[in-house]
Amino acid sequence: MAEDEPAPIDLAALLGPTLKARSSSPDGGAEGGEASAVGDVQTQEALAGKAAVGVYFGTSASKDFTDSLAKSWEALSEKGLAVVYVHCDGAAPGGEGGEDAAAEGGGDAATAGLDEALAQMPWFGLPPSRPRDEVLAALNLTFAGEPLLVVLSVDGKIWTVEGTKALAEDPAGEQFPEGPWGGAPAGPPEITENEILEKLGSVAPEPGESGLKGIFINSKNYVVIGFVDQAEESDDVMFSGMKLKPYATVKKAEIIDQIKKMGFASDYHPQQKDFEKYPLEDILMIFDPAKTYGDKIIWCNTEDSFNRIMTSINERRQAIIDEYNASFAVVAGGDAGGVQEQDDEPEENIVVRDVPKDPKPWVSETMEQTHAEVKTCTVVENSRPAMQVMVTRPRAMFGKSTKFSHSGENLHNCRPQKDHNFAPPKKELELGIQAVKETRTCACQTTWFRPVNKSTQYSPSDFLQKSADLGYDKVDELSAFLSAVSVGVEEALQTNETVDIFQEEFAHLGEEEAGAVTKTHSKLKEHPNFHDVTYTKGKRIEWVEWVPNSSEMVVSSCCENLPFSERLESSGKASVSTVLVWSFADSLSPHSILVAPWEVTVFKFYPSDSKYLIGGLGNGQLAVWKLSDADLGHSVRDKNSSAASKSSGGLEEEKTSTATVAHKQLSMINESHKKAVLAIEFIPATIEVERRGKGASEKNPADGPIKYFLTAAGDGQVMIWDFQSLLDGINENDLNWRPVHRVQLQRQDSGTEMGLCHILHCHDRYDEKGNKMLTNFYASTEEGELVFGDWAARGEEDRKAEVVKKLYTSSKTFRPMLSLERSPFFPSVMLGVTDWAFYLFKDGLADHLFMSSYTSVYYTRGVWSPTRPSVIFLGLYSGGIDIWDFSDQSHKASLSDTGASVAISSMIFCTHGDLNHEQKLAVGDAQGHLHIQNIPKNLIKPTGRELENMRKFLDREEHRVKYFQERHQQLRDLKDTMEKQAQMAADAAAADTGKAAVDEEKEDEVAESIYKKLEMDVKEELGIPLGD
């Protein structure tokens, strides 16, 4: 090496653009460590924030030095040392023929050797593509087989080429970068810009200076100008919120461009001419909280004022920097010579005496300041001469006693007058008083199963003082008291039977401490929504699904918002519909586009292989798409092969980079539904459907692929499809895909067909004998009813099979049911949402379990919370979201928020990732916008014993339903019995009436015979002939 100090070396040119590093943190201080993959890292990124760089030339035989360096690596790395390892296996001593040897060994062998070495080292490595001879030549070194360690500063200055000796002298790295390492001692830390601005304080000019003008700047633009670093106020950010920097500079060109773009909406528009006349490129903005020039922001509108203010600011900045550096110099000087000075100073002999203090007159330290402030605040000074008044008193009154009733000659009374405008300030004091000194556990009688207080008993000793002397002489007083208050107490007890059962006595306690969410607003945070002018403008987001195993990708289908007449005209005509794949990385355009021949009304990912997407079309057919990892956002798209995938199916490739995917297969239109497919439900993998749907059995393995799925449509048919048979021939052009079984749902009373909206398969259902029922399902109708059916039902000889086993008509609204979902915590409980209310159904009950109160705004969708058992999210026609929390109240929504600006058309939760840490809700609206809502923590984390309380609530409601069913049956039986008794009584009365009529005729005959006999006797006595 030359004797003169060499010129600094460019580290970027010396080491190359990239370095090799272990996939685990290369800066970690691990000794040895597990072998892991080796990848590339940018050199600039790897050396960022480092104070020095060590270039280590070694071979596989340099294990001893490598172990020594690894032991001290943690201390050296914390002090800012980065090490780059140069693998020299195969290099000839003296550096001759090293590259030829490496070339003969092959690049793969060199790479493998470096990867094997770096897997055991916590530092970086030089790629084999960078010739080591050039590195040695740049450092003016030769490699003779022994390990070399060269330490350079980040500026490229060589500190030492004998790093091996430096490590031997300082194995713990305590002296680095000084001592044997050859580095300069670390200087004081540089003062940051924000620290300078904080010490600088206000730089507002004095009133009356020339070249300054006030301007109003909206607080939303403070971040753009540079007055604050963050719009929201934060304790971690020094200048945030309304805490502004003393000054900021803005480019004149940026202001002129903003005025041209925004016009009068720009803050700079009122002074546009002044900005155009300004001669310099930079404009100085000054923060003036006192508003000396009319506004909080002042700007220099002349070159002279700009130079004058900037000179003053720079002088104050330099003074702050000099004072900061001087403080470190004083500390350093004190450390160097402080001990000697302390030794030279003589010891001071201090004597303390306790003597009394001499009293002195009191002197106010703030009196003069107060007088000055009063004088400053006096707006109008007295300009009139002072009035002289003499107050006299007769001599005879001297020393005479005086009363308050005595009045002077000129005494005037000021009578009070009523001022209607006077409004004294009112203060409220909330004070809680506990009447009972000690608490007691008492039993309360309640009606039904609701917590209504009926009566409460207390022990008399709770209200009486223990120390009071209650003798027999006070019994009369107590009796008189009880007699006086007995009427009022009895009336209070009677009125207490009718109370508001929904009143929460402690609802407002502790709300200030809770603070996370209010009682009326949930504070949902929305991501930037997804919307595309070409594909979604004016359309309705019909269905939304999250990409499996991804919380950053979401899929949505769009349908036209057409009335029935226009839709009828367009029926039968060819059209193109799209299913859009959105990525959180780009909200302006879709990531991928799935093309369909008809509108996609519902779609779901195949659970066994997420690359397949099954969609139900508006004409009743089913379509299947096969997606790649690039289409789903799992990997980077290959630009060379994207053209072939986009042009599949005869479609022309768009000019944009968005991939277009055509469907792989379509079901036979003659064998599909006659109306739009509205529901898809997958059957468990263990179930095997028998031929023609006569039954089902669990023959397949539980860990195998799902084979069958159900579909439902408005034509009232439920179809079973075999997806495995489709996968076997998915690439065949003449494949005829048809359902393996279908059933038609008809009404039991009229025999008309039902229109279906949703379908749920009953996974775990058993009959009375304990046999598992595998063919049962629940479905919702277009009239709001819930249907329980069996697709394997068999008919009699002269009767059709009764697929519909039970029909729940309590939710009938003559409008389609909008949602039907199973609870993730209670598999037997289902949520059904209609226009006016939502219902909770339980499998096995003959009636609904719970019905909400009617709402003034239509419901459009409903979903269960994935982590809270008692929370339900309901979408509204107005665009809002009502959140029902049964752990809080069950008669109305607990919280509400805004999900969209128009009617909500679809809602679904993301069920991937850590749901207890973050939850996302996808909300589609009727105008083609897809909103992603972040759920707050209070709606994610369940409260204490929430699952148990919700189970008790459902059990209580189930008990109520069963009670009413039994009571209704008892009343029906009682009605039948009473009707029978009434009929029997009527029959008995009719019989008695007939018998009474017969008896009356007999009595008439007897009376007639008696009369005839009497007549004969009278005629005989009077001598009247009997024939007359």
Side-chain angles (χ1 to χ4, degrees):
M1 298 180 61
E3 295 180 0
D4 298 336
E5 184 178 356
I9 299 173
D10 187 1
L11 293 180
L14 177 69
L15 302 177
T18 61
L19 298 174
K20 292 288 185 178
R22 203 167 59 185
S23 59
S24 58
S25 177
D27 292 338
E31 293 188 19
E34 297 181 0
S36 56
V38 176
D40 294 336
V41 63
Q42 295 295 326
T43 303
Q44 185 177 3
E45 179 183 351
L47 303 183
K50 300 298 181 180
V53 180
V55 183
Y56 171 27
F57 299 89
T59 63
S60 57
S62 309
K63 190 175 184 304
D64 295 339
F65 180 76
T66 300
D67 295 340
S68 301
L69 183 59
K71 292 179 181 179
S72 60
W73 172 245
E74 183 175 357
L76 295 174
S77 177
E78 290 180 356
K79 294 185 178 182
L81 176 65
V83 175
V84 179
Y85 173 69
V86 183
H87 192 56
C88 297
D89 277 354
E96 298 178 358
E99 298 301 326
D100 297 337
E104 293 175 1
D108 295 339
T111 303
L114 177 62
D115 293 349
E116 182 179 359
L118 286 180
Q120 306 298 327
M121 298 180 181
W123 42 77
F124 303 101
L126 189 72
S129 59
R130 176 66 176 153
R132 55 176 172 265
D133 288 346
E134 294 183 7
V135 179
L136 290 169
L139 298 174
N140 199 14
L141 296 173
T142 57
F143 181 73
E146 296 296 327
L148 287 177
L149 179 60
V150 183
V151 183
L152 303 89
S153 67
V154 291
D155 300 333
K157 296 181 180 180
I158 298 177
W159 286 359
T160 179
V161 297
E162 297 180 349
T164 55
K165 294 183 180 180
L167 184 64
E169 295 180 13
D170 185 20
E174 296 177 352
Q175 303 180 33
F176 184 86
E178 305 176 28
W181 301 97
E190 295 184 1
I191 184 171
T192 63
E193 179 66 19
N194 284 346
E195 291 176 351
I196 295 176
L197 294 177
E198 186 179 21
K199 293 179 178 294
L200 189 63
S202 177
V203 296
E206 295 295 331
E209 294 189 17
S210 61
L212 301 176
K213 196 171 186 179
I215 183 173
F216 172 76
I217 300 294
N218 197 315
S219 59
K220 297 180 180 179
N221 299 325
Y222 286 165
V223 178
V224 179
I225 297 175
F227 274 120
V228 294
D229 299 327
Q230 180 177 309
E232 295 80 10
E233 186 173 358
S234 174
D235 296 336
D236 299 332
V237 181
M238 185 179 300
F239 296 103
S240 60
M242 298 305 295
K243 186 177 180 181
L244 277 62
K245 297 179 181 179
Y247 69 94
T249 57
V250 189
K251 295 293 184 181
K252 174 184 175 182
E254 296 178 359
I255 294 178
I256 301 300
D257 291 342
Q258 182 179 349
I259 295 174
K260 292 180 180 180
K261 292 179 181 178
M262 301 179 62
F264 65 88
S266 174
D267 294 337
Y268 310 112
H269 183 266
Q271 303 184 24
Q272 179 181 358
K273 295 183 179 179
D274 295 336
F275 284 111
E276 292 176 350
K277 295 178 182 178
Y278 184 73
L280 302 180
E281 294 183 0
D282 294 332
I283 298 177
L284 178 62
M285 300 279 185
I286 306 171
F287 172 55
D288 181 18
K291 298 183 180 180
T292 307
Y293 289 83
D295 287 294
K296 287 202 291 188
I297 306 301
I298 305 172
W299 71 286
C300 303
N301 57 0
T302 62
E303 183 178 358
D304 179 63
S305 61
F306 177 86
N307 295 331
R308 182 177 71 251
I309 301 298
M310 284 302 300
T311 302
S312 175
I313 292 175
N314 292 332
E315 291 177 356
R316 294 177 59 182
R317 286 175 56 91
Q318 188 61 39
I320 292 172
I321 297 173
D322 295 342
E323 182 182 357
Y324 177 80
N325 294 332
S327 64
F328 277 93
V330 170
V331 173
D335 294 340
V339 177
Q340 183 67 27
E341 292 176 1
Q342 183 177 1
D343 296 340
D344 296 341
E345 291 180 359
E347 295 184 1
E348 183 179 359
N349 186 15
I350 300 175
V351 179
V352 180
R353 292 186 301 170
D354 188 7
V355 296
K357 252 186 176 182
D358 297 335
K360 298 180 180 179
W362 179 79
V363 178
S364 175
E365 299 178 356
T366 60
M367 180 178 61
E368 296 180 357
Q369 182 179 358
T370 302
H371 287 310
E373 291 178 357
V374 172
K375 185 176 181 181
T376 304
C377 294
T378 302
V379 180
V380 181
E381 297 182 357
N382 294 329
S383 58
R384 298 179 180 179
M387 182 184 296
Q388 297 182 358
V389 179
M390 179 180 293
V391 180
T392 61
R393 189 179 187 187
R395 179 126 184 128
M397 302 296 295
F398 288 178
K400 189 175 181 181
S401 60
T402 305
K403 298 181 180 180
F404 286 103
S405 59
H406 295 168
S407 60
E409 298 177 356
N410 298 325
L411 183 62
H412 298 279
N413 294 330
C414 296
R415 297 183 179 181
Q417 295 182 359
K418 196 169 186 179
D419 188 1
H420 298 282
N421 299 323
F422 178 69
K426 298 181 180 179
K427 295 183 179 180
E428 296 181 359
L429 177 63
E430 295 184 0
L431 181 63
I433 300 176
Q434 186 174 358
V436 183
K437 187 176 182 180
E438 297 179 359
T439 59
R440 293 178 60 86
T441 302
C442 301
C444 299
Q445 298 177 354
T446 58
T447 307
W448 299 108
F449 298 92
R450 299 184 181 275
V452 182
N453 291 334
K454 185 68 175 297
S455 62
T456 306
Q457 296 181 350
Y458 291 93
S459 175
S461 59
D462 291 337
F463 297 96
L464 302 178
Q465 299 180 4
K466 297 181 179 180
S467 59
D469 186 10
L470 299 177
Y472 292 101
D473 55 341
K474 296 185 179 181
V475 173
D476 296 337
E477 297 180 6
L478 180 60
S479 300
F481 169 77
L482 294 177
S483 299
V485 301
S486 59
V487 178
V489 171
E490 183 176 0
E491 182 181 356
L493 291 176
Q494 291 177 356
T495 56
N496 192 35
E497 293 180 359
T498 57
V499 297
D500 184 8
I501 61 176
F502 301 110
Q503 183 180 1
E504 298 182 9
E505 300 295 337
F506 304 97
H508 302 290
L509 295 181
E511 285 188 354
E512 296 180 356
E513 291 78 9
V517 66
T518 64
K519 282 291 181 182
T520 59
H521 200 275
S522 63
K523 295 185 179 178
L524 298 178
K525 295 184 179 179
E526 181 181 354
H527 280 281
N529 61 64
F530 301 104
H531 179 70
D532 190 89
V533 177
T534 305
Y535 301 103
T536 65
K537 183 177 181 181
K539 297 184 180 181
R540 181 179 70 258
I541 303 298
E542 187 67 24
W543 197 265
V544 181
E545 288 285 340
W546 291 85
V547 174
N549 302 322
S550 175
S551 59
E552 304 294 331
M553 303 290 293
V554 64
V555 187
S556 64
S557 65
C558 307
C559 295
E560 294 286 348
N561 285 321
L562 297 179
F564 178 76
S565 58
E566 297 182 10
R567 189 174 292 274
L568 186 62
E569 292 179 0
S570 62
S571 62
K573 298 180 182 179
S575 62
V576 177
S577 181
T578 57
V579 177
L580 305 179
V581 181
W582 297 95
S583 173
F584 280 31
D586 183 10
S587 61
L588 301 179
S589 61
H591 180 76
S592 302
I593 302 175
L594 281 61
V595 182
W598 286 84
E599 290 183 341
V600 181
T601 54
V602 63
F603 62 88
K604 286 190 177 182
F605 284 93
Y606 180 48
S608 301
D609 189 353
S610 60
K611 293 182 180 180
Y612 292 97
L613 183 70
I614 307 171
L617 306 183
N619 65 341
Q621 289 181 280
L622 293 181
V624 178
W625 292 269
K626 185 177 181 181
L627 307 176
S628 63
D629 290 339
D631 295 332
L632 297 175
H634 296 322
S635 63
V636 180
R637 192 182 306 281
D638 187 3
K639 297 183 179 179
N640 297 327
S641 62
S642 61
S645 63
K646 293 177 184 177
S647 60
S648 60
L651 298 175
E652 295 183 358
E653 182 183 1
E654 299 180 357
K655 295 182 180 180
T656 61
S657 60
T658 304
T660 303
V661 183
H663 60 273
K664 294 290 290 184
Q665 286 293 343
L666 278 176
S667 63
M668 296 180 62
I669 189 170
N670 295 333
E671 299 292 338
S672 302
H673 291 279
K674 307 306 178 186
K675 291 186 178 180
V677 181
L678 298 178
I680 298 176
E681 175 75 1
F682 288 96
I683 301 177
T686 58
I687 296 180
E688 176 67 30
V689 179
E690 298 180 3
R691 185 179 181 183
R692 296 183 180 179
K694 293 182 180 180
S697 59
E698 291 185 322
K699 297 181 180 179
N700 301 327
D703 56 349
I706 292 178
K707 188 174 182 181
Y708 300 99
F709 65 90
L710 303 173
T711 59
D715 57 359
Q717 294 189 35
V718 176
M719 296 186 179
I720 305 176
W721 302 80
D722 186 354
F723 193 73
Q724 286 297 321
S725 63
L726 173 68
L727 293 181
D728 296 338
I730 194 170
N731 295 321
E732 299 178 5
N733 295 329
D734 56 348
L735 177 65
N736 295 328
W737 188 31
R738 57 169 59 93
V740 297
H741 181 61
R742 70 178 71 197
V743 291
Q744 179 68 54
L745 273 65
Q746 297 178 343
R747 296 191 177 276
Q748 297 174 341
D749 51 356
S750 61
T752 57
E753 297 179 356
M754 291 183 174
L756 303 182
C757 300
H758 307 85
I759 188 168
L760 293 177
H761 179 253
C762 298
H763 300 269
D764 300 322
R765 199 171 192 277
Y766 297 86
D767 57 7
E768 298 176 354
K769 298 181 180 180
N771 299 323
K772 195 170 185 179
M773 309 296 291
L774 302 176
T775 60
N776 292 338
F777 63 88
Y778 280 95
S780 62
T781 69
E782 291 182 347
E783 295 189 1
E785 303 156 317
L786 183 65
V787 177
F788 174 69
D790 184 3
W791 79 64
R794 299 180 181 180
E796 302 294 337
E797 295 180 356
D798 56 343
R799 297 180 61 185
K800 295 182 179 180
E802 293 184 358
V803 180
V804 179
K805 298 299 182 182
K806 184 170 181 59
L807 185 64
Y808 297 82
T809 59
S810 58
S811 59
K812 186 173 183 179
T813 59
F814 299 98
R815 291 277 298 155
M817 185 173 286
L818 304 171
S819 291
L820 182 63
E821 280 203 5
R822 197 184 302 272
S823 171
F825 297 91
F826 308 100
S828 61
V829 178
M830 295 168 289
L831 168 67
V833 181
T834 62
D835 287 339
W836 295 101
F838 70 89
Y839 299 80
L840 296 183
F841 300 94
K842 185 172 183 181
D843 188 10
L845 282 184
D847 200 357
H848 63 271
L849 193 66
F850 175 83
M851 173 184 173
S852 69
S853 57
Y854 288 108
T855 177
S856 59
V857 182
Y858 286 156
Y859 289 131
T860 56
R861 281 294 183 269
V863 291
W864 290 92
S865 171
T867 55
R868 292 198 57 184
S870 61
V871 174
I872 297 175
F873 290 78
L874 297 169
L876 302 178
Y877 185 78
S878 62
I881 297 178
D882 278 356
I883 304 171
W884 284 66
D885 187 356
F886 287 98
S887 63
D888 178 30
Q889 56 190 6
S890 60
H891 68 290
K892 65 178 181 179
S894 300
L895 304 170
S896 63
D897 210 305
T898 302
S901 58
V902 293
I904 292 176
S905 58
S906 56
M907 294 172 60
I908 188 171
F909 271 100
C910 178
T911 57
H912 317 301
D914 187 5
L915 298 181
N916 293 323
H917 175 68
E918 181 181 16
Q919 281 185 19
K920 295 177 181 178
L921 175 64
V923 179
D925 62 21
Q927 292 298 327
H929 293 266
L930 179 59
H931 310 265
I932 306 298
Q933 303 287 352
N934 269 349
I935 307 302
K937 291 295 183 182
N938 65 304
L939 295 177
I940 296 178
K941 185 178 180 181
T943 58
R945 303 178 64 183
E946 181 175 347
L947 181 62
E948 181 181 353
N949 293 335
M950 185 63 182
R951 182 180 289 107
K952 291 181 179 179
F953 171 77
L954 296 175
D955 293 342
R956 185 168 64 247
E957 294 297 323
E958 181 180 358
H959 195 282
R960 178 187 59 82
V961 172
K962 291 182 178 180
Y963 169 79
F964 278 108
Q965 290 177 354
E966 294 175 358
R967 185 59 178 165
H968 288 163
Q969 185 62 37
Q970 292 175 4
L971 293 177
R972 283 193 293 267
D973 295 343
L974 180 60
K975 180 181 178 182
D976 295 340
T977 303
M978 294 177 66
E979 288 178 352
K980 290 180 181 179
Q981 292 177 356
Q983 185 65 34
M984 293 174 61
D987 295 342
D992 293 341
T993 303
K995 185 177 180 181
V998 174
D999 294 341
E1000 186 176 356
E1001 290 179 359
K1002 290 181 179 181
E1003 291 178 358
D1004 291 343
E1005 292 178 357
V1006 172
E1008 184 66 22
S1009 61
I1010 294 173
Y1011 174 76
K1012 291 293 186 182
K1013 184 179 180 181
L1014 179 61
E1015 183 182 8
M1016 292 174 63
D1017 293 341
V1018 171
K1019 285 182 176 182
E1020 185 178 356
E1021 289 180 1
L1022 295 177
I1024 299 174
L1026 297 177
D1028 296 339

